[in-house]
């Protein structure tokens, strides 16, 4: 048994809705009784405020972590994420995972006994939705005497359940982590499921769903699993793992039998799946996924997500083509438009949709940091603690240093310029240094946008709401005048179209604050004039071939652009290593900070 394991665990069962009571499903059907299989890890705190619900995907079950016996050599399906010191740290949290309604691993589903006939339901079982699954989990929550989930978390279909919790029971969900899940199941996903169901229904052993005892339509279920498994992988991951390798030998056999390694792998996945899963449950759960639309019953997605009360972390993976990142971003920006506390990271991963079951390192850093700040909202982030320690050792100088010596005096000024409790958008926020300071010193309601993955993970791990997005592409999703200030610090020179971004800044913000390095500074000019080479200075530390800077402009250029765009400069603060510059600004200033408004 590995270090950090929760050890030996037991699957438990809770039965409710005994006759004459029943669980009413979204279809209008009534189900009685209902059993939910579940496992728990860790200890519920005396305040009952540390409970986390883990929701599984299509083929998952309640066994998310640990082992069922000493002889068991296969841990739960999310064991790398759950346990002492892991992302869902069982030294800190009480983690619950239940098998979904309609499943085949202990919860009531098609293979359960129909009390009216004494036989397994088969397709006499009523069809369920993601909402029905959540309603059943809510009954389990009451049974466990948990007043509110600290977090509901899940990937794929589990992410759909997590999102459903945040809308259906917002007061019961302090935070939500939605991984690799869309706001609605769309045509392509429904099409894949339809082919899989067709394979099962076409198998002669399906026998009108009355094939119990198992195994039943193994060929049809294996084909369905093979098809779905392809959607879980990426083209790159299949190429890297299998390529065009032949399973046996180096020559083609020129027959219809399996020859390529990928064929044998898919066969193995199909065979393995039929040994643990019920074909009828596969039909029912894929239909529940197909029915999913979080905005169903509401005017639109924004209207549905306006109900969310807790913090939300959305995670996608770059190579996921089943539920691609743009579907996650629909959720993210709908929450942002509703002024909800939302963070988002699109993790660069080659493993496709299955990344949430493979790529644990980045997820662990993101989720563990996010949860710590949900559970301890008043605890200072590591950046603050580090700054405090540094200031005690080396007190802040009264005369500011320029960024030539590594200090960001433009940030000091921006903090002073912002009013208390203002709503802030920080574009190109990096690892969240400014957001952190504004939250701490001015109690602002802040949101950051940043493209670099490492910076995004660092910021979210510090409890800061940051969305991973490209400034050149991500602002159109935000409504007019939704922020008091939009800040663009030391970033204007690296974006594609500064004019368009400035226009967007003053559309979505009442005021804009922009800072940038002055390419008209005398050191830059002298490098070109006397040396005849592109400048490399502490303020512009990149060689010409590696510089992220796209635009080389001066204070005078910026003023001219503002005039042409009818942008009002409320204040210009020019700076160099000695402080504020009051004369020959375009020559002497190393950088400048501008407060802008629309004319």
């Amino acid at each position: 048994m590995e270090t950090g394991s929760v050890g030996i665990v037991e699957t438990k069962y809770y039965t409710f809705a005994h006759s004459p009571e029943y669980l009413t499903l979204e279809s209008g059907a009534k189900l009685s009784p209902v059993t939910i299989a579940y496992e728990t890890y860790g200890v519920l705190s005396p305040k009952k405020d540390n409970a986390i619900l883990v929701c599984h995907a299509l083929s998952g079950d309640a066994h998310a972590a640990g082992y069922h016996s000493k002889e068991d050599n296969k841990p739960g399906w999310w064991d790398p994420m759950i346990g002492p010191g892991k992302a869902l740290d069982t030294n800190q949290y009480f983690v619950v995972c239940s098998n979904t309604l309609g499943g085949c691993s202990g919860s009531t589903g098609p293979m359960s006994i129909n009390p009216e006939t004494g036989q397994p339901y088969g397709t006499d079982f009523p069809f369920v939705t993601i909402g029905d699954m959540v309603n059943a989990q809510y009954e389990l929550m009451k049974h466990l005497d948990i007043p509110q989930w600290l977090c509901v978390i899940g990937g794929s279909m589990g992410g759909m359940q997590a999102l459903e919790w945040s809308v259906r029971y917002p007061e019961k969900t302090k935070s939500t982590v939605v991984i690799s899940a869309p706001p609605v199941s769309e045509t392509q996903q429904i099409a894949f499921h339809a082919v899989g169901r067709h394979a099962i229904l076409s198998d002669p052993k399906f026998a009108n769903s009355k094939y119990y005892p198992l195994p039943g339509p193994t060929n049809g279920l294996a084909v369905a699993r093979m098809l779905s498994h392809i959607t879980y992988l990426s083209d790159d991951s299949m190429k890297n793992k299998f390529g065009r390798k032949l399973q046996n030998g180096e020559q083609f056999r020129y027959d219809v039998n399996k020859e390529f390694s990928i064929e044998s792998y898919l066969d193995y996945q199909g065979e393995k799946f039929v040994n643990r899963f019920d074909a009828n449950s596969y039909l029912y759960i894929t239909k529940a996924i197909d029915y999913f639309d979080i905005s169903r019953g509401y005017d639109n997605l924004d209207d549905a997500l306006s109900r969310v009360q807790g913090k939300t972390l959305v995670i996608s993976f770059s190579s996921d083509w089943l539920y691609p990142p743009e579907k996650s971003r629909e959720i993210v920006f709908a929450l942002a438009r509703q002024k909800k506390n939302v963070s988002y990271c699109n993790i660069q991963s080659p493993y496709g949709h299955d990344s949430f079951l493979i790529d644990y390192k980045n997820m662990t850093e993101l989720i563990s940091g996010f949860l710590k700040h949900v559970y301890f909202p008043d605890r200072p982030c590591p950046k603050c603690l580090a700054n405090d320690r540094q200031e005690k050792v080396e007190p802040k100088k009264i005369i500011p240093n320029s960024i030539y010596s590594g200090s960001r005096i433009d940030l000091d000024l921006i903090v002073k310029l912002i009013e208390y409790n203002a709503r802030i958008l920080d574009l190109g926020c990096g690892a969240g240094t400014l957001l952190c300071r504004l939250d701490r010193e001015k109690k602002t309601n802040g949101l950051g946008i940043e493209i670099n993955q490492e910076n995004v993970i660092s910021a979210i791990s510090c409890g800061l709401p940051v969305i991973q997005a490209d400034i050149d592409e991500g602002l159109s999703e935000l409504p007019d005048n939704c922020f008091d200030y939009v800040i663009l610090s030391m970033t204007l020179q690296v974006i594609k179209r500064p004019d368009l971004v400035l226009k967007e800044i003053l559309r979505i913000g009442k005021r804009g604050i922009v800072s940038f390095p002055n390419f008209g500074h005398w050191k830059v000019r002298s490098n070109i004039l006397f040396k005849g080479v592109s400048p490399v200075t502490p303020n512009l530390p990149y060689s010409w071939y590696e510089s992220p800077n796209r635009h080389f402009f001066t204070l005078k250029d910026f003023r001219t652009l503002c005039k042409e765009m009818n942008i009002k400069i409320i204040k210009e603060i020019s700076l160099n290593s000695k402080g504020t510059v009051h004369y020959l600004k375009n020559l002497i200033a190393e950088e400048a900070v501008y407060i802008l408004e629309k004319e």
Side-chain angles (χ1 to χ4, degrees), residues 163-171 173 176 183 294-312 330-342:
L163 192 61
E164 186 76 42
W165 264 100
S166 70
V167 172
R168 187 169 291 237
Y169 297 106
E171 72 288 349
T173 314
T176 310
I294 197 65
S295 64
R296 185 169 175 264
Y298 299 91
D299 291 341
N300 48 46
L301 180 60
D302 287 49
D303 186 35
L305 297 185
S306 68
R307 289 179 49 80
V308 174
Q309 295 180 13
K311 293 184 176 183
T312 306
E330 288 181 17
I331 298 170
V332 170
F333 281 105
L335 286 165
R337 286 192 293 271
Q338 294 302 311
K339 300 182 179 180
K340 305 299 180 180
N341 188 307
V342 59

Side-chain angles (χ1 to χ4, degrees), residues 328-568:
S328 293
R329 285 193 284 268
E330 288 181 17
I331 298 170
V332 170
F333 281 105
L335 286 165
R337 286 192 293 271
Q338 294 302 311
K339 300 182 179 180
K340 305 299 180 180
N341 188 307
V342 59
S343 296
Y344 167 63
C345 186
N346 179 39
I347 296 173
Q348 296 298 306
S349 175
Y351 303 114
H353 184 64
D354 261 356
S355 294
F356 78 97
L357 299 171
I358 301 172
D359 203 340
Y360 294 116
K361 181 179 180 294
N362 288 319
M363 277 199 305
T364 295
E365 190 173 352
L366 272 169
I367 293 168
S368 60
F370 176 79
L371 287 175
K372 284 177 184 176
H373 289 279
V374 174
Y375 195 33
F376 301 107
D378 297 324
R379 178 180 290 180
C381 79
K383 288 189 182 73
C384 291
L385 294 174
N387 288 339
D388 283 347
R389 285 193 290 268
Q390 182 66 29
E391 286 181 15
K392 286 177 183 177
V393 174
E394 195 174 312
K396 213 170 189 180
K397 295 179 181 179
I398 298 173
I399 300 174
N401 293 320
S402 76
I403 58 173
Y404 273 77
S405 56
S407 177
R408 285 289 304 274
I409 55 174
D410 63 314
L411 300 189
D412 296 334
L413 280 170
I414 290 169
V415 171
K416 292 177 182 177
L417 293 169
I418 300 294
E419 296 91 5
Y420 279 89
N421 301 313
R423 182 162 167 77
I424 304 299
L425 177 64
D426 186 5
L427 301 176
C429 66
T433 301
L434 178 59
L435 278 175
C436 188
R437 286 188 58 186
L438 287 170
D439 175 64
R440 190 181 186 196
E441 298 176 32
K442 292 296 183 73
K443 308 300 180 187
T444 56
N445 180 4
L447 175 66
I449 289 183
E450 170 63 32
I451 195 168
N452 180 274
Q453 177 180 298
E454 290 184 8
N455 285 338
V456 170
I457 292 174
S458 176
I460 294 173
S461 298
C462 287
L464 300 168
V466 173
I467 295 172
Q468 186 175 9
D470 188 337
I471 296 171
D472 285 301
E473 299 172 2
L475 303 184
S476 61
E477 297 285 346
L478 298 171
D480 297 353
N481 297 317
C482 57
F483 294 94
D484 296 313
Y485 289 94
V486 178
I487 301 167
L488 187 70
S489 61
M490 294 298 169
T491 306
L492 188 65
Q493 70 276 9
V494 305
I495 58 182
K496 292 178 183 176
R497 289 292 304 272
D499 55 336
L500 298 182
V501 169
L502 286 171
K503 185 177 179 181
E504 284 290 270
I505 284 173
L506 294 177
R507 178 185 65 80
I508 60 181
K510 297 172 185 175
R511 280 190 167 184
I513 297 181
V514 177
S515 68
F516 55 84
N518 178 24
F519 291 89
H521 186 257
W522 68 266
K523 285 189 179 181
V524 176
R525 299 187 192 193
S526 63
N527 265 272
I528 296 172
L529 180 62
F530 296 111
K531 295 182 181 180
V533 296
S534 296
V536 178
T537 69
N539 202 17
L540 303 169
Y542 302 97
S543 297
W544 65 268
Y545 54 85
E546 63 178 353
S547 174
N549 300 316
R550 288 189 174 98
H551 309 286
F552 300 87
F553 58 96
T554 68
L555 308 192
K556 187 175 181 181
D557 288 325
F558 185 74
R559 294 186 207 113
T560 301
L561 177 63
C562 288
K563 185 175 182 180
E564 291 174 354
M565 294 182 63
N566 295 317
I567 294 173
K568 186 177 181 181

